[in-house]
Structures are given as structure tokens and as C-alpha cells.
């Protein structure tokens, strides 16, 4: 199923959204997709359902699976075009090994089997946990166990799942959990913590978000911007103070001399409110991020400006 994002989303963005490498196996992609889709599904129990983000995750998964199938077809056609020599060589090697094994007898094979079993330890619960296949459901964990899950998990989606569970079941303690972890959270988890803090809308939560308006990472910066802009009077006051939003008169005067053709085009289209444009241009000056990237990051479709 397509939700209209395929024309806008690139393969690189799709892999980045699901947090998987471009050479990942299909099972790894499926596992990441299931975790991500569960978090933002419209029926998510955490109360942090995000229909738009869910649709983007579905689109990313569709793009990646198409890419993997394309690579598999290309690989098969390349193998066929290479002729039968490699297959014959492989058969010869396999036949040579079977003859060698037959000459050495079963004792040698039993010995090698025993060596292999000794060199490969039985999978412990810890080893399984590292693969992400045996993690307990977050709904059964205590607050302290959820914190450990967030801090120790090797997978960003498991971290986000733990954060969502804390917000859902221990909302009054979310600020004290999230704010100290903002500086050391990896990008995807950091974006999520910022967005959830933005929903709390207290002075403390919104104030903790403000420093990330200066981030050179587009997703982090735009996440902080949207959380503060949607944070009511308190959030908007913090936003304007942090980026020093120019007054309408100052914005008009400075624009007479150094406004780019693209910015003029956006203003003329009236697709973006003038207040948001003043704020976004202030963020551009502060971070160096292109205005086009910021507009895209806050959900403005650049195709609508064409």
C-alpha cells in the first residue's frame, strides 16, 4: 500500500528512517519495520500514535523491499551471465572435500564436530538479548527496568519503545527520565525524546528542548523547532527568545537587501505563515542549515512550491 510519500522519499532516507544499513538482510529490515510501525500505529497504547510517521515507515519499508528484490534479480542475472565455470569450480571443491572426508573416516568427522560444538558456546539470555530477539515486553517492566532497557539496549527502536512506555505508564516521571539523557542519546532516540517532551509542555520540558534549536542535524533541529512552536505561549516565547526572531519590521527591512529568490518565492506563495518564515530564517542564520531543508523538516512540501 502506498501513502503518497514514495515520490518524495529517497532510498537513502528510507534506510535511514528504519535505522538499517543498505546491505542489511530482509529479516533485519522486517524486524526494524515491525518495531517502528508498532510504535506509531494509530492504535498505539502509549498515546503517542503518529499516523503520518506510521505511513512514512510503511513507505520506507516498501521502498527497501523493492530495492532488495531488485538487487536479488540483478545478482541472479549476473550469476547466469558468468557461465557455468564458477559452479563447476564449486562442485569440484565440494567433491574434493567429500573424497577427503571419506578417506579420513568418521572418527575425524566426529572430532571436528566436537571441536565445533566446543568453540560455539550455547546462546545465553544475554547473547539473545543483544540480537533483540528475546527482549521482554515493555508492558511487564518496572520503571527502573525500563530505564535500564533504554540505557543498555543495542537497538534504537527498543530504546524508543522503552521511552514510550515510560510516558504511557509513568508520565509524571518522564521529565526526570528524559532531560538528563538528551545530551547522550543517539540521533533517532534524541528526536523522539524531544518530541515527547514537547507534548508535556511544561516550562522545564520546553526549556530543555531549546538548546537543540542550534543543532546542525536537520531532524534534531526541526524536531526542537516544531515541539516549541506547538508548545503554546510558553513554547513560542522560549523559541523566539532562543533564536532571536526578528520583528516584522526588522524582517522586512533586512529582506530588502539579502533575501534569496527562494525565500521570496515561498513568501509569495503564502504557503508558510510569515511568523513561521521569520522563525525559520532565524534558525537558518543560527545553524547554517538551508531554508529548503528546514521547510522540508517541518513538513512543508516543496513540491507545492513548484
Amino acid at each position: 500500500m502506498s501513502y503518497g510519500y514514495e515520490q518524495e522519499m529517497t532510498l537513502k532516507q528510507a534506510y535511514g528512517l528504519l535505522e538499517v544499513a543498505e546491505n542489511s538482510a530482509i529479516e533485519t529490515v522486517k524486524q526494524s519495520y515491525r518495531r517502528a510501525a508498532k510504535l506509531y500505529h494509530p492504535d498505539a497504547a502509549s498515546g503517542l500514535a503518529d499516523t503520518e510517521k506510521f505511513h512514512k515507515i510503511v513507505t520506507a519499508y516498501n521502498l527497501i523491499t523493492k530495492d532488495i528484490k531488485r538487487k536479488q534479480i540483478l545478482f541472479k542475472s549476473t550469476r547466469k551471465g558468468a557461465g557455468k565455470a564458477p559452479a563447476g569450480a564449486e562442485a569440484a571443491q565440494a567433491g574434493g572435500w567429500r573424497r577427503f572426508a571419506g578417506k579420513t573416516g568418521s572418527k575425524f568427522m566426529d572430532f571436528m564436530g566436537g571441536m565445533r560444538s566446543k568453540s560455539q558456546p550455547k546462546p545465553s539470555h544475554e547473547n539473545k538479548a543483544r540480537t533483540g530477539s528475546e527482549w521482554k515486553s515493555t508492558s511487564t517492566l518496572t520503571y527502573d527496568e525500563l530505564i535500564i532497557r533504554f540505557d543498555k539496549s543495542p537497538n534504537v527502536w527498543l530504546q524508543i519503545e522503552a521511552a514510550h512506555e515510560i510516558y504511557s505508564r509513568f508520565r509524571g516521571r518522564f521529565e526526570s527520565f528524559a532531560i538528563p539523557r538528551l545530551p547522550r542519546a543517539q540521533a533517532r532516540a534524541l528526536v523522539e525524546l524531544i518530541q515527547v517532551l514537547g507534548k508535556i509542555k511544561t516550562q522545564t520540558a520546553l526549556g530543555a528542548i531549546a538548546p537543540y534549536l542550534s543543532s546542525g542535524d536537520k531532524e534534531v533541529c526541526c524536531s526542537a523547532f516544531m515541539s516549541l512552536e506547538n508548545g503554546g505561549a510558553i513554547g513560542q516565547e522560549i523559541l523566539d527568545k532562543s533564536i532571536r526572531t526578528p520583528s516584522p519590521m526588522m524582517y522586512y527591512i533586512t529582506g530588502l537587501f539579502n533575501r534569496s529568490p527562494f525565500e521570496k518565492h515561498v513568501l509569495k506563495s503564502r504557503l508558510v505563515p510569515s511568523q513561521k518564515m521569520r522563525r525559520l530564517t532565524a534558525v537558518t542564520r543560527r545553524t547554517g542549515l538551508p531554508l529548503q531543508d528546514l521547510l522540508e523538516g517541518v513538513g512543508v512540501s516543496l513540491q507545492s512550491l513548484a
Side-chain angles (χ1 to χ4, degrees):
M1 182 180 293
S2 173
Y3 295 96
Y5 296 104
E6 289 191 2
Q7 293 181 347
E8 300 177 13
M9 187 179 295
T10 65
L11 261 176
K12 184 176 181 181
Q13 290 171 333
Y15 280 103
L17 183 60
L18 289 188
E19 291 286 334
V20 292
E22 293 190 15
N23 60 349
S24 296
I26 186 64
E27 286 305 318
T28 302
V29 175
K30 286 181 179 178
Q31 188 180 62
S32 186
Y33 162 69
R34 290 183 189 122
R35 286 172 178 159
K38 178 184 174 183
L39 289 170
Y40 306 111
H41 192 277
D43 298 328
S46 66
L48 295 171
D50 190 323
T51 303
E52 183 177 357
K53 194 175 291 187
F54 172 76
H55 289 170
K56 286 183 177 181
I57 286 168
V58 173
T59 299
Y61 175 71
N62 289 337
L63 285 173
I64 292 172
T65 51
K66 286 179 184 177
D67 183 52
I68 291 175
K69 288 177 182 177
R70 181 187 61 80
K71 289 176 180 176
Q72 289 173 343
I73 293 171
L74 181 62
F75 176 75
K76 288 179 181 178
S77 63
T78 304
R79 294 270 294 185
K80 288 180 181 178
K84 297 183 179 180
E90 290 176 6
Q93 290 177 358
W97 167 250
R98 284 195 294 270
R99 286 193 296 273
F100 174 72
K103 290 178 181 179
T104 54
S106 61
K107 290 184 179 180
F108 176 78
M109 299 304 293
D110 291 342
F111 170 75
M112 290 300 294
M115 289 294 290
R116 283 196 297 269
S117 64
K118 290 179 182 179
S119 63
Q120 297 177 357
K122 294 180 180 180
S124 63
H125 177 72
E126 182 182 359
N127 289 334
K128 287 181 181 179
R130 287 176 182 173
T131 66
S133 60
E134 294 294 327
W135 287 96
K136 290 171 62 179
S137 170
T138 53
S139 61
T140 65
L141 300 181
T142 65
Y143 175 75
D144 290 337
E145 288 173 332
L146 287 168
I147 288 179
I148 294 172
R149 168 70 62 87
F150 183 90
D151 290 341
K152 302 296 183 181
S153 172
N155 184 284
V156 70
W157 294 116
L158 291 174
Q159 288 184 318
I160 294 173
E161 186 180 37
H164 280 211
E165 193 68 26
I166 291 174
Y167 177 79
S168 176
R169 292 166 49 203
F170 308 100
R171 192 164 304 183
R173 304 170 73 177
F174 189 84
E175 283 184 35
S176 60
F177 151 75
I179 292 174
R181 286 168 175 78
L182 290 174
R184 59 179 185 270
Q186 54 181 305
R188 180 71 59 191
L190 175 59
V191 166
E192 200 66 28
L193 291 179
I194 288 172
Q195 290 177 349
V196 180
L197 283 170
K199 292 180 181 294
I200 295 176
K201 298 183 180 181
T202 65
Q203 183 85 35
T204 304
L206 297 174
I209 294 172
Y212 295 94
L213 288 166
S214 301
S215 174
D217 184 298
K218 183 185 82 171
E219 286 194 42
V220 173
C221 178
C222 291
S223 177
F225 181 92
M226 289 187 293
S227 294
L228 290 171
E229 189 180 48
N230 296 329
I234 297 175
Q236 292 172 15
E237 181 182 353
I238 292 173
L239 174 60
D240 290 331
K241 184 177 179 180
S242 299
I243 60 175
R244 297 179 182 177
T245 304
S247 66
M249 181 60 69
M250 183 60 68
Y251 180 65
Y252 172 76
I253 293 173
T254 55
L256 292 175
F257 304 100
N258 59 4
R259 187 165 293 163
S260 69
F262 176 77
E263 186 177 347
K264 291 177 182 177
H265 180 57
V266 175
L267 288 169
K268 186 177 180 180
S269 71
R270 298 185 182 275
L271 185 64
V272 182
S274 59
Q275 173 74 338
K276 176 173 278 192
M277 278 298 296
R278 286 191 283 123
R279 288 169 173 163
L280 287 172
T281 52
V283 173
T284 294
R285 291 196 302 271
R286 193 177 188 86
T287 63
L289 291 169
L291 180 59
Q292 294 94 317
D293 288 355
L294 292 177
L295 286 167
E296 184 182 55
V298 299
V300 177
S301 174
L302 298 183
Q303 291 184 348
S304 302
L305 298 172

